[in-house]
Amino acid sequence: MKLQKISLLTLLLFIYAESAKSEPPFSCDYTNPSTKSYLFCQTSLPITQRVKDLISRLTLDEKISQLVDTAPSIPRLGIPAYRWWSEALHGVAFLPDVSERQGIHFNGTIRSATSFPQVILSAASFDSTLWYRIGQVIGKEARAIYNNGQAIGMTFWSPNINIFRDPRWGRGQETPGEDPMVSGKYAVSFVRGVQGDSFEGGVLGEQLQASACCKHFTAYDLEKWNGTNRFIFNAQVTKQDLADTYQPPFQSCIQEGKASGIMCAYNQVNGVPNCADYNLLTKTARGQWDFHGYITSDCDAVSIIHDNQGYAKEPEDAVADVLKAGMDVNCGNYLKKYTKSAVEKKKVSVSEIDRALNNLFSIRMRLGLFNGNPTNLPYGKIGADQVCSQEHQAVALEAARDGIVLLKNSNQLPLSKSKTTSLAIIGPNADNSTILVGNYAGPPCKTVTPLQGLQNYVKNIKYHPGCSTVACSSAAIDQAVKIAKEADQVVLVMGLDQTQEREELDRVDLLLPGKQQELIVGVARAAKKPVVLVLLCGGPVDISFAKYDHNIGSILWAGYPGEAGGIALAEIMFGDINPGGRLPMTWYPQDFTKVPMTDMRMRPEPSSGYPGRTYRFYKGKKVFEFGYGLSYSNYSYELISFTQNKISLRSLDEQEDENSNTVGYKTVAELGEELCEKSKFSVTVRVKNQGEMTGKHPVLLFTRQEVFGSGSPIKKLVGFQSVKLDARENTDIEYKLNPCEHLSSANEDGLMVMEKGSQYLLVGDKEYPINIII
């Protein structure tokens, strides 16, 4: 037995040592003399020249083999296999169902990665610096996993920047919310962090730390609702809504973030599949926005163009449609199966295949995968010790702290550390580590549930799940009431999970599932003091009953808070952290579900009773407003410096011509970039923490037009900054505004226009007028 144990231990050590020293796959091994003859291996040459040389060496079959996400190796040229599909939505992720197709694996010495809050909660921080730091951590850990030999792909299909238009959308949790400016700023910050750029941008150059990909392009926000699924959905979208809602996040991601990838979506927009839309992929992204990267389909999005949508008559037509539109790689095997026959039928030319390959190999070269041994290159020294480091886990905790939103507080929170001698923790989400990380997650470094977090503050705790599952088809109300009656304080941890909202699953209502509400109300009535209600969910829920129930003293929304969520919640509840998160989406009442989810219009239509979507256009009742969030402190705002309250957007000739008649509006294009730049102005807001606790606080600056017309928004966000202030401390925040960007609106033709007249800057409950002269 002793010898067997020794031999087993030796074997395990040998296996560990072998896995630890595995090298990442790369091309152009300079120890191999044959590589010296390949121009594509000459790093002194421009990437364009290197890629051209590589493509010229490929046979047609080899070229076609590279057009799918599982690109095979080309041994005769020393090119290893590549996996285009990896995920890093809120941490380097792993999807067990498609493990063989993914570029990243946790099957070596690295077994986990830092797991941040689901994006919707990070967005609630309104802190673009934090979003950048999250991206930085993800990019570094991705590169460390690659350097450790556990990756055959460094292209990550994140972030998801679709607008959270409808509260029932199962993937709203993956997004930065409903505001296009917030989504755009999130995309820019996250992408720069992942790819290795600076926070301000502009230092990236050719080298990519990892490749980010903005998805799903465009107007994608429906999974499966009332018999319509995302594969067949034809989104009817106005030019006006495209211009000011659906497209701006992608434009920011490309132009400012310099994302190296885009994913085209399953759905059609106005009758044309996104992945087959030349106007979208080539004219808009590559032409107008100057995109220089690769475009991937969503998985099997090419096949559905023929198989589900019937848009293409033959499979070869679908292949021709997407390649001619400007798509480069197919997640799936449709291009592998049908591209050669499409060439033979003269529906696709080899030059169109070469165009796609040029974009694909350019990205692989920018990642340094054709530059010899990557350990000797930039990013080559990022080691396994970077993954799950204390520094990285601290950022995950900070993100959870800064995102959690206090929705209600009747002087219940923070709880007293000295007077709270016993706690009853009730709810199906109280001790579920899986729920913390939401979807598209990897194995976390470690997890702390709300129950575990609270155990660090109170030793006498009794716990009961209340429901066997989040669906809560039956509730053990009597047992929950019994432990609630015996405790000083009760915390209910309720909400949703991935059985209620996720990819391919939209909600049909906005209520808490099953008997959750009955359980909450029953326990709240029985408790000695008003209870604390914690909600873990991505999309909003109608908790009007709890908002107005005096037995419910406080409500916290914690999204899916990531690996450190339980720590952050406990710290907030006991006052070690002052909550500062603000809702990045409107919380609607249950009545909103009368609106068809398939109606893509943002703007209301009073004649039909259509209420519109998002805080910018919706005029109906709300449970909680976009941007709503309480704190243990009160904050005051004062606009102390406003460089001008009159903005003239008239050309020099018009100003000199006293008889010139001013028009009611001009398009931004007519005004011109030079005049728009000259018209920039600054706004300085003094914000003061009036409370007794240090707090981090997002300050949101909105505008609204005095007269609504042509579908202009009720109000819109034009700036946000997060500040940390000690008790009674104040600071000044400067916002730099470009009137052509921040004070314009889209007309019915999808053109951004400036209208003359008054607008107002809004901060807190104060308004400041601006007069615009055209």
Side-chain angles (χ1 to χ4, degrees), residues 406-414 532 552-555 579 628 630-632:
L406 180 62
L407 296 174
K408 176 183 178 180
N409 193 24
S410 305
N411 296 318
Q412 188 74 15
L413 294 178
V532 178
I552 299 171
S554 303
I555 305 173
Y628 178 83
L630 303 175
S631 170
Y632 299 150

Side-chain angles (χ1 to χ4, degrees), residues 87-97 102 104 106 111-119 158 173-174 433-445 447 498 503 560 562-563:
E87 301 284 353
L89 183 67
H90 53 110
V92 181
F94 183 73
L95 307 180
D97 292 345
Q102 289 179 92
I104 289 279
F106 290 94
R111 296 283 182 173
S112 56
T114 306
S115 186
F116 292 92
Q118 183 60 288
V119 177
S158 309
Q173 61 179 294
E174 302 175 25
S433 60
T434 303
I435 191 178
L436 295 174
V437 298
N439 69 352
Y440 279 91
C445 310
T447 53
Q498 301 306 305
E503 187 170 4
Y560 297 119
E563 64 177 41

Side-chain angles (χ1 to χ4, degrees), residues 124 151 161 249 277 279 286 354 461 469 503:
I161 55 171
D277 192 338
N279 287 327
R286 295 198 187 279
D354 290 349
I461 287 182
T469 65
E503 187 170 4

Side-chain angles (χ1 to χ4, degrees), residues 283-320:
K283 288 186 70 174
T284 300
R286 295 198 187 279
Q288 295 176 26
W289 300 344
D290 197 31
F291 174 60
H292 296 280
Y294 78 99
I295 300 177
T296 178
S297 76
D298 206 338
C299 293
D300 296 320
V302 180
S303 66
I304 65 170
I305 293 173
H306 171 261
D307 299 347
N308 300 72
Q309 297 175 358
Y311 180 85
K313 292 182 180 179
E314 296 181 353
E316 291 82 2
D317 293 321
V319 169

Side-chain angles (χ1 to χ4, degrees), residues 36-56:
K36 294 179 181 179
S37 64
Y38 301 148
L39 288 182
F40 69 79
C41 288
Q42 304 304 310
T43 57
S44 60
L45 297 175
I47 282 179
T48 52
Q49 188 175 345
R50 296 172 64 193
V51 169
K52 184 178 180 181
D53 174 71
L54 191 159
I55 294 171
S56 72

Side-chain angles (χ1 to χ4, degrees), residues 243-547:
D244 74 357
T245 300
Y246 295 109
Q247 295 289 65
F250 290 97
Q251 184 173 0
S252 296
C253 186
I254 290 168
Q255 291 186 324
E256 298 176 60
K258 304 298 181 185
S260 49
I262 305 172
M263 176 184 285
C264 50
Y266 290 117
N267 55 289
Q268 297 183 6
V269 172
N270 301 327
V272 182
N274 278 308
C275 293
D277 192 338
Y278 177 84
N279 287 327
L280 181 70
L281 304 187
T282 297
K283 288 186 70 174
T284 300
R286 295 198 187 279
Q288 295 176 26
W289 300 344
D290 197 31
F291 174 60
H292 296 280
Y294 78 99
I295 300 177
T296 178
S297 76
D298 206 338
C299 293
D300 296 320
V302 180
S303 66
I304 65 170
I305 293 173
H306 171 261
D307 299 347
N308 300 72
Q309 297 175 358
Y311 180 85
K313 292 182 180 179
E314 296 181 353
E316 291 82 2
D317 293 321
V319 169
D321 288 341
V322 297
L323 287 174
K324 289 178 178 179
M327 196 199 80
D328 302 312
V329 63
N330 169 208
C331 181
N333 291 315
Y334 217 67
L335 261 63
K336 184 178 180 180
K337 290 173 64 176
Y338 296 110
T339 300
K340 192 166 188 178
S341 56
V343 172
E344 291 168 348
K345 293 181 179 181
K346 301 191 182 305
K347 296 189 176 191
V348 169
S349 68
V350 176
S351 64
E352 285 160 340
I353 296 171
D354 290 349
R355 177 207 55 77
L357 293 175
N358 178 76
N359 294 324
L360 297 176
F361 282 112
S362 292
I363 293 299
R364 290 172 67 174
M365 286 188 184
R366 290 185 66 194
L367 286 164
L369 308 186
F370 282 76
N371 295 356
N373 192 325
T375 59
N376 300 322
L377 300 170
Y379 309 118
K381 303 304 179 186
I382 300 175
D385 60 329
Q386 292 268 6
V387 182
C388 288
S389 67
Q390 290 301 311
E391 179 185 354
H392 289 181
Q393 291 184 65
V395 180
L397 175 57
E398 181 183 347
R401 287 169 173 166
D402 292 353
I404 292 171
V405 181
L406 180 62
L407 296 174
K408 176 183 178 180
N409 193 24
S410 305
N411 296 318
Q412 188 74 15
L413 294 178
L415 300 175
S416 169
K417 295 177 186 176
S418 59
K419 295 179 182 178
T420 308
T421 58
S422 62
L423 277 178
I425 313 296
I426 297 166
N429 286 339
D431 197 33
N432 183 344
S433 60
T434 303
I435 191 178
L436 295 174
V437 298
N439 69 352
Y440 279 91
C445 310
K446 60 183 179 182
T447 53
V448 179
T449 66
L451 174 61
Q452 292 167 337
L454 289 166
Q455 285 170 337
N456 292 326
Y457 287 84
V458 180
K459 298 306 176 190
N460 183 7
I461 287 182
K462 290 188 177 178
Y463 160 68
H464 195 284
C467 313
S468 58
T469 65
V470 167
C472 202
S473 56
S474 62
I477 297 176
D478 291 343
Q479 296 175 46
V481 163
K482 182 181 178 183
I483 70 165
K485 286 180 176 179
E486 298 170 353
D488 286 340
Q489 185 66 57
V490 177
V491 177
L492 288 146
V493 189
M494 315 298 286
L496 309 174
D497 66 5
Q498 301 306 305
T499 68
Q500 306 296 310
E501 54 174 353
R502 67 171 190 277
E503 187 170 4
E504 294 196 279
L505 180 63
D506 294 320
R507 287 186 286 158
V508 295
D509 60 47
L510 297 177
L511 303 175
L512 287 170
K515 296 188 176 181
Q516 280 198 38
Q517 180 173 333
E518 187 180 340
L519 173 65
I520 293 167
V521 172
V523 168
R525 284 177 184 162
K528 294 177 184 177
K529 302 174 185 175
V531 302
V532 178
L533 173 61
V534 176
L535 297 169
L536 300 188
C537 53
V541 286
D542 183 353
I543 51 165
S544 299
F545 77 93
K547 183 178 179 180

